[in-house]
Amino acid sequence: MKKFTSVMAIALTVVMGLSAKPKSNDITIGGIFPLSGAVAVYGVECKKGIDLAIEEINAAGGVMGKNLVLISEDDEGNPDKTVNAFTKLVTKNKVKMVIGSLTSGCTKAITTRAQASKVIQIAPAATAADITDAGNYIFRTCFIDPFQGTVGGKFSAENLGCKNAAILYDIGNDYSVGLTDNFVAAFEKAGGKVVAKESYATNDKDFNAQITKIKNANPDVVYLPDYYGTVALIAKQLRAQGINTPIVGADGWDGLHENAGDEVLNGFYSNHYAADSTDPAVVKYVTNFKAKYGTEPNSFAALGYDSVYLLKDAIEKAGGAKDVAKVRAALEAADGSYVTGNLKFDSKRNPIKSAVMVEMIKKDGKLKTVYKATVNP
């Protein structure tokens, strides 16, 4: 019944997103998310954060008296469908600002198109280093993989006190490879040693051969830089072979608490914000999100929420949304405090912001994350 309810919720989200009918005086934003498919948790939660932000802004009078309206498309986490969604939004719906997509592969599928069309693209969670290389209309609200991999390496060595690390990563996934490279550099710089480095192919399900090699290397930490579905499978097989060391990962783990069990305890990952933060802006956001949806917001919801407020602030500074070049320039000069931290951009429109490390724990019979540490850029 739970699975059926989740599927229905996703379906309703898609339908509601596609049915938006902006009026002539509205400011229309396009959205591209994986609302179904293997990483639907990312897209569904991100859209919830965006919907909440738009609801708050419109209730407070809109942006310079105009309502924000989101027209969303589901790309199912498939880059080809991301391209189709972008084409529809730009040609049929005439949008000049797009939030999305969520994964790096899907996001990169449309960056050159957005730049050529002079459409502002804000990627909430695409962390691959080269996302913004397409040009000055491409932005993101998340930190990038080199920083995130470095955070994982430093945390493992300095906070957890680990000396010998094993790594198990997806050799065909740029996200996983990039995180691995930077984890290794940071861990070794901090005095650690990588005693095993094993890879697998995307969509593999059996990791026991690699895990046997990892076990023989006797690490005191295992780094798993992948998305939550694969991490849950690997963690279960790690624990089954008696490897009970800490496991460390990155923001792709977000969603584990709904898709894993006790095998991910003693697990830590880098993330964009901590829902249990005492920062007033975070407390207000989490309270409002829980009141609307009945659940605690993950980082994808927070990044989507911040993406909308970032656009709102830029539109106001530009004197309206009509001149997209002015909005782009205002975005580039952004420097403000948001839920996921103070945000300003470097020369490549990547945010300069902190990362947090969170720990997987069990409370009241349920998995959840708690704040562990902050790592600054």
Side-chain angles (χ1 to χ4, degrees):
M1 185 67 183
K2 184 177 179 182
K3 184 176 181 181
F4 176 77
T5 303
S6 298
V7 171
M8 287 298 293
I10 291 171
L12 283 171
T13 304
V14 176
V15 171
M16 288 172 69
L18 293 173
S19 63
K21 294 181 179 179
K23 300 175 183 177
S24 59
N25 62 335
D26 290 334
I27 297 172
T28 306
I29 301 171
I32 304 174
F33 319 100
L35 297 170
S36 59
V39 290
V41 166
Y42 301 161
V44 171
E45 291 303 306
C46 183
K47 186 175 181 297
K48 285 180 180 178
I50 288 171
D51 287 342
L52 175 62
I54 289 174
E55 181 180 288
E56 290 176 355
I57 291 167
N58 290 344
V63 182
M64 302 178 69
K66 296 185 177 182
N67 281 339
L68 289 178
V69 174
L70 176 74
I71 302 178
S72 69
E73 296 288 333
D74 179 13
D75 66 7
E76 301 175 29
N78 181 319
D80 291 335
K81 293 185 178 182
T82 310
V83 172
N84 293 338
F86 178 82
T87 302
K88 176 187 176 295
L89 287 168
V90 173
T91 58
K92 181 180 178 180
N93 302 116
K94 308 297 183 185
V95 304
K96 300 299 289 183
M97 296 170 282
V98 172
I99 298 174
S101 186
L102 273 292
T103 63
S104 292
C106 288
T107 301
K108 281 194 279 189
I110 59 172
T111 53
T112 55
R113 289 173 169 81
Q115 182 66 29
S117 304
K118 293 187 176 179
V119 170
I120 292 171
Q121 180 186 1
I122 299 180
T127 53
D130 59 352
I131 289 293
T132 60
D133 286 356
N136 63 355
Y137 276 77
I138 316 301
F139 298 80
R140 64 174 131 206
T141 45
C142 58
F143 46 63
I144 62 177
D145 285 341
F147 175 54
Q148 190 170 201
T150 299
V151 166
K154 287 181 65 178
F155 176 81
S156 297
E158 297 173 5
N159 295 73
L160 297 181
C162 298
K163 303 296 184 184
N164 299 301
I167 302 168
L168 185 51
Y169 70 105
D170 183 347
I171 199 167
N173 182 334
D174 289 345
Y175 170 80
S176 192
V177 172
L179 286 167
T180 294
D181 291 344
N182 287 281
F183 175 91
V184 170
F187 189 71
E188 291 180 341
K189 184 178 180 181
K193 181 180 179 182
V194 176
V195 295
K197 186 179 178 184
E198 298 294 324
S199 65
Y200 54 87
T202 305
N203 297 321
D204 278 358
K205 304 296 182 186
D206 186 348
F207 310 93
N208 281 294
Q210 296 96 320
I211 290 172
T212 297
K213 293 179 182 178
I214 287 172
K215 185 176 182 179
N216 291 336
N218 196 31
D220 51 16
V221 64
V222 178
Y223 190 57
L224 301 180
D226 209 329
Y227 305 133
Y228 63 88
T230 303
V231 170
L233 286 174
I234 294 174
K236 189 170 290 187
Q237 292 174 37
L238 277 170
R239 302 314 192 201
Q241 285 209 37
I243 300 175
N244 296 311
T245 61
I247 52 177
V248 175
D251 64 338
W253 283 33
D254 222 5
L256 265 182
H257 64 287
E258 295 177 348
N259 294 278
D262 289 358
E263 65 273 6
V264 297
L265 294 175
N266 201 21
F268 307 83
Y269 65 96
S270 51
N271 213 350
H272 305 270
Y273 99 120
D276 59 342
S277 168
T278 56
D279 180 273
V282 176
V283 171
K284 180 181 177 181
Y285 161 69
V286 171
T287 300
N288 291 345
F289 191 97
K290 284 182 175 179
K292 182 173 176 63
Y293 300 111
T295 58
E296 186 173 272
N298 66 16
S299 67
F300 295 94
L303 289 165
Y305 182 88
D306 279 357
S307 296
V308 176
Y309 274 97
L310 187 67
L311 266 179
K312 168 189 176 290
D313 292 345
I315 291 169
E316 289 176 343
K317 288 176 184 175
K322 189 173 182 180
D323 190 336
V324 71
K326 287 185 178 180
V327 177
R328 189 213 65 78
L331 266 178
E332 203 166 48
D335 185 359
S337 182
Y338 299 88
V339 168
T340 59
N342 194 78
L343 195 154
K344 61 180 179 180
F345 294 106
D346 64 16
S347 61
K348 295 186 70 175
R349 298 159 309 285
N350 294 316
I352 303 168
K353 62 195 298 191
S354 300
V356 298
M357 292 297 299
V358 295
E359 179 180 3
M360 298 293 303
I361 68 162
K362 200 167 188 178
K363 184 176 182 181
D364 300 326
K366 295 181 179 180
L367 288 172
K368 66 171 295 181
T369 57
V370 293
Y371 170 82
K372 194 69 179 178
T374 297
V375 182
N376 294 311

